[in-house]
Amino acid sequence: MSTTAEPHTHSISSGQKCPPGKGLESIAPLLQTVEETPDPIPTTIKGTVPTWINGSFLRNGPGKFEFGKDRYTHWFDGMAMMHRFHLCEGNVTYSSRFLQSDSYVQNSEKNRIVMSEFGTLAMPDPCKNIFARFLSRFSVPKSTDNASVNFVKYKGDYYVSTETNYMRRVDPQSLETKEKVDWSQYIAVNSATAHPHYDRDGATYNMGNSYGRNDFFYNIIRVPPPEENAAKEDSDLTGAKVICSIRAAEPRKPSYYHSFVMSENYIVFIEQPIKLDLVKFMLYKIQGKSFQKVMTWEPQCETIFHLVNRHTGEKSEVRYRAAPMFTLHQINAFEDNGMLVMDMCCGDDGDIIGDFTLENLRRDAGEEMDKFYNSLCRNLPRRYVLPLTVEQETPLDQNLVTGYKATAKKTKAKEVYMTHEELYDDELLQYGGLEFPRINYDQYNGKPYRYFYSCGFGHCFSDSLLKMDVHTKELKVWRYPGLYPSEPVFVASPKATEEDDGVVLSVVITPREEKSTFLLILDAKTFAELGRAEVPVNIPYGTHGVFNLKG
């Protein structure tokens, strides 16, 4: 991939804009193995839980960090643990279960780590002779089914997902583990993200990789809506198809991606400068290195936005370029007057993913923790605006964006260079930037919107909840010392007439006191606390979650 020709450099990085941490406390207790609670237990309600909230708040994340004497090295490696807060007529119960993945079951049987994860390489079986152990180094690494990232839906069924080709169907009521689903049995991809998008007809869109001898492709996938008469026990990914394949700029060094952009009519894939070195990937097991070692941040490369019509699968011939940046999560995207407006959480340093080792996260309070936190990139909300119509007669070097502060200029035939608008005021910086953005998805995904909810990162893990008004850039904040909230999930009230009519749910944990977890309920409009449901168990810091209206 060529380097950017435009003199667009970040004079101050996103990390440098935020104040440094000082005297940060240890968060090691948030990264300890916990026991599962398979049978629902009652919670203690403080304040009120609105009686109209009926359903289940489902959460996912790592919950076990060792087997026998073996220890995982990266936060992502912990065994998937599913959590369920069931809300019904003002009452809340809690239950949790470990995902019975092949990884979990085999590790448990052997009482050691036998399957490699993102940051931990499984050692050869000590019971084998030295020759068999040597040969095992040369076997193709098997993808893990430790699906610890998110709850996702396909054809009306819930699955837990990570970023390999394996998912697990789960029962959202009992959290029972069902069948393992292999994407490659239905469609020519060998992975899929844990952040699909859903359209209003019930179809699911996702992205996955495929590669041949000389090429690497990013594939946009569509899974059809559930069939009315389909037998629930026979659910699968039948009917899934690739609607567009995008060739990687560098076949041996494709970009890492965690999610993608979808509006009403378009999908945008962001090819960013976090690279996967496929040669190293093939060698990493032989060399005794974990998967995280094959990912590199290469800021000499620019960012490319690939525009695809999601109805036809047709890819735009226009190459949309921008300065190097790193993004994990998109906020929302919508079309406006011939432009595609894309809001996302972005940073200027893509080294962050490999940094989240358990050794780093479990550092002692004070100087050691401060040093690590201050080395991390901070992500901030940005808006990119992509002109949808760029013709041969479109003039060069003229801003094609109207009504927004972002710019887009045609630099030569079929090529546009974009600069972003900062989607925040300085007040946000004191909260350490933000991540884990969520919106009123059912009503506003792919449409013009006003509000999003997210976590502020004044520590390595989120220590505040934020509500952002993208029209005024004003913030509302929930923050208390020693409390670490999870990704905020919006639930609309049954008679909602406005975008923020409803509540925000978040699971709050603390390293300061044992068994002091609670489910927090905020009024989405005012961000005032309505109530909390206290749970007498420890819960580790998790990743993503959903609200299941059907309970």
Side-chain angles (χ1 to χ4, degrees), residues 185-213:
Q185 298 300 307
Y186 297 94
I187 197 168
V189 297
N190 52 42
S191 69
T193 82
H195 288 289
H197 277 292
Y198 310 96
D199 69 16
R200 284 165 179 78
D201 298 323
T204 307
Y205 293 80
N206 208 334
M207 292 201 61
N209 299 329
S210 64
Y211 45 84
R213 179 166 292 186

Side-chain angles (χ1 to χ4, degrees), residues 43-75:
T43 65
T44 302
I45 305 297
K46 298 285 178 67
T48 55
V49 177
T51 54
W52 59 261
I53 312 175
N54 289 295
S56 293
F57 185 29
L58 304 173
R59 295 268 308 149
N60 200 355
K64 184 174 176 62
F65 299 96
E66 67 282 313
F67 284 92
K69 295 180 180 178
D70 291 355
R71 301 285 184 269
Y72 287 114
T73 59
H74 199 281
W75 176 49

Side-chain angles (χ1 to χ4, degrees), residues 229-294:
N229 302 318
K232 274 294 166 197
E233 291 306 308
D234 300 329
S235 65
D236 55 29
L237 300 178
T238 300
K241 65 178 182 178
V242 171
I243 62 171
C244 183
S245 292
I246 299 164
R247 182 179 272 106
E250 292 182 271
R252 292 188 178 185
K253 278 188 152 186
S255 291
Y256 170 77
Y257 57 95
H258 188 72
S259 61
F260 59 99
V261 173
M262 190 171 92
S263 67
E264 283 198 275
N265 296 297
Y266 296 95
I267 283 173
V268 180
F269 168 65
I270 302 163
E271 195 170 15
Q272 59 186 353
I274 302 181
K275 299 294 188 176
L276 303 175
D277 190 320
L278 294 188
V279 175
K280 285 184 181 177
F281 175 68
M282 302 309 292
L283 293 173
Y284 88 95
K285 191 174 182 185
I286 301 168
Q287 295 171 340
K289 292 181 179 179
S290 59
F291 180 69
Q292 72 175 88
K293 303 293 185 186
V294 308

Side-chain angles (χ1 to χ4, degrees), residues 343-359:
D343 297 344
M344 58 193 80
C345 300
C346 303
D348 301 318
D349 180 0
D351 284 331
I352 186 171
I353 293 176
D355 289 336
F356 272 61
T357 63
L358 291 168
E359 182 182 13

Side-chain angles (χ1 to χ4, degrees), residues 25 463 478-484 508-512:
E25 68 183 322
D463 65 346
W478 185 93
R479 187 188 206 185
Y480 291 92
L483 297 183
Y484 295 82
V508 181
I509 57 180
T510 178
R512 299 184 180 185

Side-chain angles (χ1 to χ4, degrees), residues 115-372:
M115 290 191 70
S116 296
E117 301 292 340
F118 173 78
T120 305
L121 190 74
M123 290 295 104
D125 188 342
C127 297
K128 292 182 177 178
N129 65 42
I130 192 167
F131 184 65
R133 278 187 276 165
F134 175 75
L135 285 181
S136 73
R137 288 248 178 182
F138 293 87
S139 60
V140 176
K142 186 180 180 183
S143 296
T144 181
D145 66 336
N146 177 36
S148 63
V149 178
N150 206 359
F151 278 85
V152 297
K153 280 181 91 171
Y154 294 96
K155 294 187 169 185
D157 280 325
Y158 276 102
Y159 297 79
V160 285
S161 176
T162 179
E163 295 186 331
T164 68
N165 55 312
Y166 295 121
M167 297 188 299
R168 281 280 185 170
R169 190 164 72 91
V170 293
D171 183 320
Q173 271 84 32
S174 66
L175 301 181
E176 182 185 353
T177 302
K178 301 289 190 179
E179 70 271 18
K180 182 165 78 169
V181 176
D182 181 351
W183 276 97
S184 65
Q185 298 300 307
Y186 297 94
I187 197 168
V189 297
N190 52 42
S191 69
T193 82
H195 288 289
H197 277 292
Y198 310 96
D199 69 16
R200 284 165 179 78
D201 298 323
T204 307
Y205 293 80
N206 208 334
M207 292 201 61
N209 299 329
S210 64
Y211 45 84
R213 179 166 292 186
N214 299 311
D215 276 317
F216 186 102
F217 294 94
Y218 315 107
N219 301 290
I220 298 172
I221 307 159
R222 181 183 184 272
V223 180
E227 296 173 26
E228 284 184 29
N229 302 318
K232 274 294 166 197
E233 291 306 308
D234 300 329
S235 65
D236 55 29
L237 300 178
T238 300
K241 65 178 182 178
V242 171
I243 62 171
C244 183
S245 292
I246 299 164
R247 182 179 272 106
E250 292 182 271
R252 292 188 178 185
K253 278 188 152 186
S255 291
Y256 170 77
Y257 57 95
H258 188 72
S259 61
F260 59 99
V261 173
M262 190 171 92
S263 67
E264 283 198 275
N265 296 297
Y266 296 95
I267 283 173
V268 180
F269 168 65
I270 302 163
E271 195 170 15
Q272 59 186 353
I274 302 181
K275 299 294 188 176
L276 303 175
D277 190 320
L278 294 188
V279 175
K280 285 184 181 177
F281 175 68
M282 302 309 292
L283 293 173
Y284 88 95
K285 191 174 182 185
I286 301 168
Q287 295 171 340
K289 292 181 179 179
S290 59
F291 180 69
Q292 72 175 88
K293 303 293 185 186
V294 308
M295 299 174 68
T296 57
W297 169 242
E298 303 198 2
Q300 75 276 13
C301 300
E302 58 191 1
T303 307
I304 304 296
F305 296 78
H306 299 272
L307 176 69
V308 177
N309 183 310
R310 77 172 175 91
H311 306 295
T312 66
E314 184 180 359
K315 181 181 177 295
S316 170
E317 293 182 354
V318 178
R319 178 183 172 97
Y320 297 91
R321 306 161 45 231
M325 65 88 169
F326 151 74
T327 182
L328 284 176
H329 300 112
Q330 278 66 61
I331 302 168
N332 198 11
F334 57 91
E335 295 149 42
D336 178 23
N337 196 28
M339 298 174 290
L340 179 55
V341 180
M342 302 175 293
D343 297 344
M344 58 193 80
C345 300
C346 303
D348 301 318
D349 180 0
D351 284 331
I352 186 171
I353 293 176
D355 289 336
F356 272 61
T357 63
L358 291 168
E359 182 182 13
N360 278 335
L361 291 169
R362 289 171 176 162
R363 288 189 184 197
D364 291 339
E367 190 176 343
E368 280 300 302
M369 181 55 78
D370 295 351
K371 185 177 177 182
F372 173 57

